[in-house]
Amino acid sequence: MGLCLPCMGGAVKDVVETPDPEIKRRQLAEAAEKRQMEASSRGIKNAYSVEQKKKKQEEMEKRMTASGSGGGGLRIFLRKDA
């Protein structure tokens, strides 16, 4: 009539050691970066094309502000006889 208790003998090899805090921090940072990349590319088939369009749009905005053509928008003229 023997009892097999987990605290005897083989229980030592079942214990999982916690990793070093620096290793754990690095793993968490990598996982967060991976999640962020997946979320940013969700629903986009060609991420490179999207990045190129974004850069082109930013460049056009810089040119518009540098050229000083800020008044090139729509103008509204009100008729005085109405």
Side-chain angles (χ1 to χ4, degrees):
M1 293 205 181
L3 294 173
C4 184
L5 299 174
C7 63
M8 304 284 185
V12 175
K13 64 182 177 185
D14 294 337
V15 175
V16 177
E17 292 184 30
T18 57
D20 182 38
E22 184 62 34
I23 294 172
K24 186 162 180 117
R25 190 177 301 118
R26 183 173 37 87
Q27 289 174 341
L28 289 172
E30 289 172 358
E33 186 176 324
K34 183 179 176 184
R35 282 192 308 270
Q36 191 175 27
M37 291 296 290
E38 288 175 353
S40 68
S41 65
R42 185 170 294 150
I44 299 173
K45 292 183 180 180
N46 189 354
Y48 179 75
S49 174
V50 173
E51 288 295 322
Q52 292 298 319
K53 288 179 182 180
K54 186 186 288 186
K55 287 179 183 178
K56 188 176 180 181
Q57 181 68 26
E58 289 173 359
E59 186 177 312
M60 293 239 335
E61 288 175 1
K62 286 180 183 178
R63 281 192 218 152
M64 292 296 286
T65 57
S67 67
S69 60
L74 293 175
R75 295 183 183 164
I76 300 174
F77 295 101
L78 298 175
R79 292 176 37 187
K80 293 182 180 182
D81 62 314

